[in-house]
């Protein structure tokens, strides 16, 4: 009952259980944080709206994105992954979500920002439905914790539209 | 040297009934572990409720050796979700983020394009030849929770199998020579 083996086993079991318990509590504490992020996106310019040689429409645009995601950071937050997606309907698809730009925010200081950028990823439709299309720009964020459950949410900003003709 | 003598003595003195009892206890432990694993598969809706991150393509969020808890529901995949998928013909699952989603009217079929956070390009190069999108049946689950470092045990055991044999051998020896 008092050999080295038994003691080592008891110690190991206890420390693993205690660690698991601490991780669960750390994750649970995230429920009590008060979160009120804000964001605003403006389209500065639609650079190109063209039809590719395969027949799909492609858009290139420049965005002005400003956001304050500081309230999402808790002591259990490792990073926040934020991205802007264009969301719209088309005759063939009930929902299209195309990510235009993303960023990894490592800490609270970097969480309040304003950036002007052209789209990082190509905005390509499945088809040629983009002329005159109305779409939402949604800022999504995924909070990745140091340990435990991941949280995700978004702000939907409707009311953007593309020109009626190719340019 | 006295320790080796003791071990040999205790192996010689094992009675059949005691050995059988120990074998059954071991069998019960292994079976309970299997039951818990299968129950987890049912609850989370995915074939492997826990996966180990093998590459650095999702850094700094997920590093090699972290483990992810997966969950799969009938809800359609949406952009931003971290999905674990298998490419046809390869058995190593990949953990990346969905950046483009196109959902068909009526059938609810989805086309998904993924990309690792730490990669510069999307995953088209990882998919099978001629495949441009992932579909529902490629995706094993969404990552919903995470624990750091715990997966290193699995990585070490699969990359240096000798350690696995040493561990199982030592455990076996411990079971046989324990006095109760």
């Amino acid at each position: 009952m008092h050999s080295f083996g038994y003691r080592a086993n008891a110690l190991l079991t206890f420390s693993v259980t205690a660690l698991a318990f601490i991780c669960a509590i750390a994750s649970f504490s995230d429920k009590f944080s008060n979160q009120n992020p804000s964001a605003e996106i403006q389209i500065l310019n639609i650079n190109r709206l063209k039809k590719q040689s395969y027949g799909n429409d492609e858009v290139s645009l420049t965005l002005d994105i400003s956001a304050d995601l500081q309230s999402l950071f808790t002591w259990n937050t490792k990073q926040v992954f934020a991205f802007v997606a264009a969301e719209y309907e088309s005759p063939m698809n009930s929902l299209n979500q195309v990510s235009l730009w993303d960023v990894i925010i490592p800490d609270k200081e970097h969480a309040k920002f304003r950036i002007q950028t052209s789209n990082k990823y190509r905005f390509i439709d499945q088809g040629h439905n983009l002329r005159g299309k109305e779409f939402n720009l949604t800022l999504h964020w995924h909070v990745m914790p140091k340990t435990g459950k991941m949280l995700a949410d978004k702000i939907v900003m409707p009311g953007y539209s593309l020109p009626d003709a190719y340019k | 040297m006295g320790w080796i003598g003791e071990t040999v003595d205790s192996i010689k003195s094992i009675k059949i009934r005691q050995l059988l009892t120990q074998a059954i206890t071991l069998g019960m432990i292994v079976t309970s572990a299997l039951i818990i694993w299968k129950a987890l598969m049912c609850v989370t809706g995915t074939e492997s409720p826990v996966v180990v991150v093998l590459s650095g393509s999702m850094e700094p969020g997920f590093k090699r050796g972290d483990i992810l808890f997966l969950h799969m529901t009938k809800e359609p995949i949406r952009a931003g979700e971290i999905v674990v998928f298998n490419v046809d013909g390869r058995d190593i699952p990949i953990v990346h983020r969905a950046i483009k989603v196109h959902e068909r009217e009526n059938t609810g079929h989805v086309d998904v394009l993924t990309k690792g956070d730490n990669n510069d390009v999307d995953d088209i190069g990882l998919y099978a030849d001629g495949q441009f999108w992932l579909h529902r049946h490629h995706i094993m689950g969404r990552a919903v929770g995470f624990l750091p470092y715990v997966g290193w045990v699995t990585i070490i055991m699969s990359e240096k199998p000798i350690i696995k044999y040493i561990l199982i051998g030592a455990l076996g020896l411990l079971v046989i020579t324990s006095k109760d």
Side-chain angles (χ1 to χ4, degrees), chain A residues 33-94:
Chain A
S33 64
N34 204 4
Q35 306 188 327
N36 56 334
S38 64
E40 203 183 282
I41 305 183
Q42 285 175 343
I43 297 188
L44 292 177
N45 188 32
I46 309 270
N47 306 332
R48 287 290 309 258
L49 169 58
K50 69 174 191 186
K51 190 167 175 173
Q52 288 181 333
S53 45
Y54 319 118
N56 292 333
D57 278 354
E58 181 175 351
V59 183
S60 161
L61 27 74
T62 309
L63 300 165
D64 179 330
I65 305 169
S66 62
D68 179 358
L69 299 176
Q70 288 186 322
S71 58
L72 296 174
F73 278 84
T74 69
W75 65 285
N76 189 30
T77 304
K78 185 196 291 200
Q79 69 179 38
V80 170
F81 182 87
F83 67 100
V84 171
E87 298 177 0
Y88 63 97
E89 280 188 340
S90 60
M92 185 168 75
N93 294 334
S94 55

Side-chain angles (χ1 to χ4, degrees), chain B residues 74-116:
Chain B
K74 292 233 176 325
E75 298 277 321
I77 308 282
R78 290 285 175 250
E81 291 176 355
I82 299 177
V83 293
V84 178
F85 61 92
N86 272 103
V87 179
D88 297 325
R90 309 211 193 135
D91 22 79
I92 304 185
I94 304 179
V95 186
H96 283 169
R97 197 183 290 271
I99 60 167
K100 291 192 185 165
V101 169
H102 295 278
E103 180 181 338
R104 296 274 177 283
E105 192 84 48
N106 299 333
T107 62
H109 168 92
V110 277
D111 285 336
V112 178
L113 179 65
T114 57
K115 174 183 165 295

